[in-house]
Amino acid sequence: MLIIKDISNLKLYLEAYENKGYSIGYIPTMGALHQGHGELIKQSQKDNRKTIISIFVNEKQFNKPEDFESYPRNKGKDYDFCDQFNVDAIFEPSQEEIYQENETQLENKYFKNILCDDFRPNHFDGVVTVLNKFFSIIKCNKVYFGEKDYQQLKIVEKFIKEKHPSLELVSVPTARSEEGIAFSSRNEKLSKKQLQEFELFHKASLKFMSDLDKDINIDQANTLAKEFIQKQAIEKFDYFEFRNISDLTLDGKIQDTKLFYAIYKGQVRLIDNINF
Ligand code: AMP
């Protein structure tokens, strides 16, 4: 397994395989790798001859400096993880390698003023800015994203169609622990007690969903969701609501939705989405 730090070496590496006609799958990550990332790697390996993963904690997508500083980083473990999964190459550039001084920031145009975009101003601007950079550097055939970050997935889908149309986006279902919560790098930040409380909250949300009348519309479901979330033992939440799966609006019947939540355990912000 290669660990590549600079763009010029990465380009040479990719060109060699491109010339051989190998298909290349690419997985963008921020490291602190877990089984969710593992599912993306496995899917890429099924689809492609070579799989490359990037590890880059992208400062531009953190709207709070303290969140960027405290984001989990565990380089040594990530290398072992990729090695065990037989990843072909890790691209792990520095901030300076990716961003020039006075770098222009792209502006996300899609799915704005809802869900995470509402609570993390400029977050998705940072996401599309860094992806635009990485997609220009990493010439690959397919790129892999998790449904765990569903709004991001929908935005990236539109962004790729507009700016990188030769690239094929593959989405991968959310990988979950036995207790049902989504694997996430941020789970590492939870104490044992917080983790257990989060698992209970997630289970209660599933029960709340399964008790709902299947014929109600999204508005009615969201009125009940509001009552439910206010009774939960959580310190803070950003949103807890049903939205239409295809366009993330509040239109339609509950059958066509996912429940989206962003809640806090201590300082840790946890997001998930659950199919109705
Ligand atoms: P991150 O390192 O958190 O930026 O995530 C990198 C990619 O892994 C994104 O496409 C995420 O949606 C995806 N991902 C993160 N957690 C999971 C999970 N539990 N299941 C599936 N994909 C995930």
Side-chain angles (χ1 to χ4, degrees):
M1 183 182 72
L2 285 178
I3 299 168
I4 303 174
K5 299 276 183 184
D6 55 301
I7 295 172
S8 54
N9 277 335
L10 180 76
K11 283 190 169 162
L12 286 175
Y13 172 82
L14 293 174
E15 263 168 37
Y17 288 116
E18 210 186 328
N19 293 340
K20 287 187 176 187
Y22 287 8
S23 71
I24 294 170
Y26 165 47
I27 300 147
T29 83
M30 296 208 296
L33 301 175
H34 51 70
Q35 286 178 57
H37 299 113
E39 291 305 309
L40 273 62
I41 295 171
K42 284 198 268 178
Q43 187 59 50
S44 171
Q45 288 170 332
K46 273 190 203 142
D47 300 345
N48 303 284
R49 188 92 184 244
K50 293 281 165 189
T51 289
I52 170 162
I53 186 165
S54 63
I55 297 178
F56 183 71
V57 185
N58 175 36
E59 191 167 3
K60 286 193 187 295
Q61 72 188 65
F62 287 84
N63 49 314
K64 291 184 189 146
E66 62 275 20
D67 194 21
F68 171 66
E69 293 306 326
S70 68
Y71 194 81
R73 292 163 173 89
N74 55 17
K75 225 186 233 180
K77 274 209 238 161
D78 284 349
Y79 294 166
D80 278 351
F81 184 92
C82 290
D83 201 28
Q84 277 159 18
F85 272 86
N86 293 319
V87 168
D88 296 289
I90 300 175
F91 179 46
E92 190 183 36
S94 63
Q95 297 286 327
E96 300 77 51
E97 186 74 3
I98 294 301
Y99 294 126
Q100 323 299 317
E101 263 176 51
N102 305 322
E103 185 74 40
T104 47
Q105 176 104 340
L106 298 189
E107 199 182 312
N108 167 49
K109 299 189 288 192
Y110 306 109
F111 302 106
K112 285 178 76 87
N113 304 319
I114 57 169
L115 301 173
C116 287
D117 187 59
D118 213 8
F119 292 91
R120 300 185 72 190
N122 306 117
H123 164 67
F124 289 116
D125 297 342
V127 171
V128 294
T129 300
V130 78
L131 288 178
N132 194 48
K133 280 261 153 180
F134 276 80
F135 293 160
S136 322
I137 299 165
I138 302 177
K139 296 291 171 217
C140 57
N141 304 84
K142 296 186 182 185
V143 63
Y144 294 80
F145 284 87
E147 285 180 12
K148 154 86 168 42
D149 302 279
Y150 196 75
Q151 187 176 16
Q152 169 175 280
L153 175 68
K154 299 292 281 181
I155 290 170
V156 174
E157 199 170 58
K158 297 253 185 210
F159 176 71
I160 285 183
K161 257 192 200 133
E162 186 196 332
K163 294 257 188 190
H164 300 272
S166 64
L167 202 52
E168 186 184 331
L169 185 152
V170 181
S171 63
V172 177
T174 303
R176 298 180 177 280
S177 74
E178 273 177 21
E179 296 300 322
I181 58 166
F183 291 114
S184 163
S185 306
R186 290 177 189 268
N187 294 352
E188 279 184 26
K189 294 266 160 195
L190 298 173
S191 67
K192 203 165 173 200
K193 183 164 172 279
Q194 286 173 325
L195 182 66
Q196 281 166 350
E197 287 168 1
F198 178 40
E199 288 167 350
L200 285 177
F201 164 78
H202 184 81
K203 278 189 187 145
S205 303
L206 293 179
K207 166 94 173 60
F208 159 71
M209 285 174 83
S210 69
D211 287 349
L212 286 175
D213 177 346
K214 314 289 173 271
D215 289 323
I216 57 176
N217 62 33
I218 296 181
D219 273 352
Q220 289 166 311
N222 279 338
T223 305
L224 297 169
K226 208 176 259 172
E227 285 168 17
F228 169 83
I229 191 72
Q230 273 155 6
K231 285 190 229 138
Q232 299 311 301
I234 47 169
E235 296 91 319
K236 184 179 158 189
F237 72 97
D238 283 347
Y239 54 80
F240 183 89
E241 63 191 30
F242 292 90
R243 284 189 174 261
N244 192 307
I245 242 164
S246 54
D247 57 11
L248 301 186
T249 63
L250 299 170
D251 303 330
K253 286 277 182 198
I254 194 169
Q255 280 100 331
D256 311 316
T257 65
K258 276 173 177 286
L259 174 71
F260 292 86
Y261 69 67
I263 66 145
Y264 285 79
K265 276 276 133 209
Q267 299 296 309
V268 187
R269 187 173 188 271
L270 300 155
I271 66 167
D272 200 352
N273 60 87
I274 313 163
N275 288 339
F276 182 73

